[in-house]
Amino acid sequence: MTELNSCTVNYFTFGSLSGLKTKKAQQDVLKCCKDQQKKHPTRLERYMQLTSAFLKRKSSTEGSLAPPSKQTKLWETQRVSQASVDKVVLKFTPVELAFLAEYAKTISPVAKALDVLQGETSVQMGWLVTTITLLRTKLQQLNVASKFCEPLIAALLPGLEKCFGEMLTDPELIAAAILVPKFKTCWTSDENILKLGLDYIRSHLDCQAENHISEGSQSSEEEDFFSSLKKTSPLETTQQLDAYLGCPRDTVEVLKSFPAVCQLSLKLNTALPASAACERLFTVAGLIFRPKRARTGSKNFENQLLLRLNKAYW
């Protein structure tokens, strides 16, 4: 009977029938518990309250040492140290580590080129040809010493040629790259490519000078007798181009010293090389013009969009 009472207490305290060897003994304990509950319901409830309070205090003081079974995996995960992480890294073979290092080195210029072309600031149409040309050069250099990533480079180079081959020989895009002071003619060693861009620039500078002369003769000769002295000749525009190419400065302010070159540069480099910035604008516009705000006025919507996209200025 003593064993039965101790097992009964163990059942109410810990919710288990540990210590009982036979199924009949477990049934006797359950029957005894039901009898005790019928005879002394108030005393049994009080005992259960005290037992549960004791278990809560015990779990709060020793919870860090003995976490609940349901949270064992989370508790063990939180205790993962840097040493165990190092052990996982050490499971890679030297060949696998060498492959990962070479892959990161190979894909790095591709990621940087994407960041440049998809940017919103300090990027113009002239950056397209220069970025793709330099990316192709870097991949060709990596291909020489590559051990594992030769198939990757062999797939990237034809892909660049297929997507951007026609753009790399477009005289207008080449001229746009030359008219960016950061690049000028130092981004490629191909004389034929540079000749295409320079011929395009010279022809359009001459056209600008002729248009300026014709407009001036119609509008200002009657008003200003000496207006012909202010006209820019084709020779002066060519001299401006030569002076621009020979200038050692590479900032945008250098274009202000060459008005004809600056005007053509603005014309060719106004557009962005990628539509990523426009797509980001459409995404922000979609977040503002939600279904629950479908009655927002056009003026209010435009003001909110401008404020959201120009947080740095307010």
Side-chain angles (χ1 to χ4, degrees):
M1 189 66 184
T2 305
E3 180 183 359
L4 186 63
N5 292 334
S6 62
C7 292
T8 306
V9 173
N10 186 29
Y11 172 76
F12 278 112
T13 306
F14 301 104
S16 64
L17 296 173
S18 59
L20 300 180
K21 298 180 181 181
T22 62
K23 187 174 182 179
K24 185 177 182 305
Q26 296 178 3
Q27 293 176 353
D28 293 340
V29 169
L30 292 175
K31 183 179 179 182
C32 180
C33 292
K34 292 179 181 180
D35 294 340
Q36 291 291 333
Q37 188 173 5
K38 291 179 181 179
K39 294 180 181 179
H40 310 284
T42 306
R43 186 170 61 182
L44 185 60
E45 291 176 1
R46 178 60 180 165
Y47 172 75
M48 293 295 295
Q49 291 176 359
L50 293 175
T51 304
S52 61
F54 171 74
L55 291 176
K56 287 181 180 179
R57 288 197 302 270
K58 186 177 181 181
S59 61
S60 62
T61 56
E62 300 180 2
S64 58
L65 298 178
S69 58
K70 294 182 180 180
Q71 301 180 354
T72 302
K73 293 184 178 179
L74 177 62
W75 181 71
E76 290 178 352
T77 304
Q78 293 175 350
R79 294 189 60 187
V80 173
S81 61
Q82 186 63 35
S84 59
V85 174
D86 295 338
K87 291 180 181 179
V88 174
V89 175
L90 291 177
K91 290 182 180 179
F92 288 104
T93 64
V95 177
E96 292 172 340
L97 293 175
F99 165 75
L100 292 175
E102 186 174 314
Y103 176 80
K105 185 178 179 181
T106 302
I107 211 68
S108 177
V110 179
K112 291 179 181 179
L114 288 174
D115 291 340
V116 169
L117 294 178
Q118 294 182 358
E120 298 183 16
T121 59
S122 302
V123 60
Q124 299 90 22
M125 184 59 73
W127 290 60
L128 176 61
V129 177
T130 55
T131 303
I132 299 301
T133 302
L134 292 177
L135 175 60
R136 188 171 59 177
T137 303
K138 290 179 181 293
L139 290 176
Q140 290 173 352
Q141 293 174 354
L142 290 172
N143 193 30
V144 176
S146 179
K147 295 181 179 179
F148 306 100
C149 296
E150 289 182 2
L152 176 61
I153 299 175
L156 288 173
L157 289 174
L160 292 174
E161 187 65 28
K162 181 179 180 180
C163 295
F164 303 100
E166 296 181 0
M167 299 180 185
L168 296 178
T169 57
D170 188 349
E172 183 176 348
L173 295 178
I174 298 171
I178 295 174
L179 293 178
V180 175
K182 183 181 181 67
F183 305 129
K184 295 180 181 177
T185 59
C186 63
W187 52 274
T188 181
S189 59
D190 192 340
E191 296 295 335
N192 295 327
I193 295 293
L194 294 176
K195 187 176 184 301
L196 288 174
L198 292 173
D199 291 344
Y200 182 93
I201 294 172
R202 291 190 180 97
S203 63
H204 281 71
L205 288 177
D206 295 342
C207 292
Q208 285 183 2
E210 292 175 359
N211 293 335
H212 181 70
I213 291 173
S214 61
E215 291 174 0
S217 61
Q218 295 175 0
S219 61
S220 61
E221 279 187 351
E222 294 180 357
E223 301 174 0
D224 188 0
F225 178 76
F226 300 100
S227 62
S228 60
L229 299 177
K230 301 178 182 179
K231 296 172 184 177
T232 304
S233 63
L235 180 60
E236 292 181 0
T237 57
T238 305
Q239 291 175 351
Q240 287 187 27
L241 177 60
D242 295 337
Y244 162 75
L245 295 176
C247 183
R249 292 184 296 170
D250 60 353
T251 58
V252 180
E253 285 74 14
V254 73
L255 291 172
K256 298 179 181 179
S257 304
F258 313 102
V261 176
C262 180
Q263 186 177 357
L264 184 58
S265 178
L266 289 175
K267 179 181 178 181
L268 298 180
N269 285 302
T270 299
L272 295 175
S275 62
C278 300
E279 292 172 2
R280 283 192 284 267
L281 184 143
F282 296 148
T283 301
V284 175
L287 294 175
I288 295 174
F289 200 71
R290 299 191 299 271
K292 293 185 178 180
R293 304 182 66 181
R295 299 188 65 181
T296 304
S298 59
K299 191 66 177 178
N300 186 11
F301 170 72
E302 183 180 355
N303 291 335
Q304 290 187 48
L305 183 61
L306 290 174
L307 290 173
R308 180 73 69 87
L309 294 174
N310 295 279
K311 288 183 178 180
Y313 300 100
W314 57 277

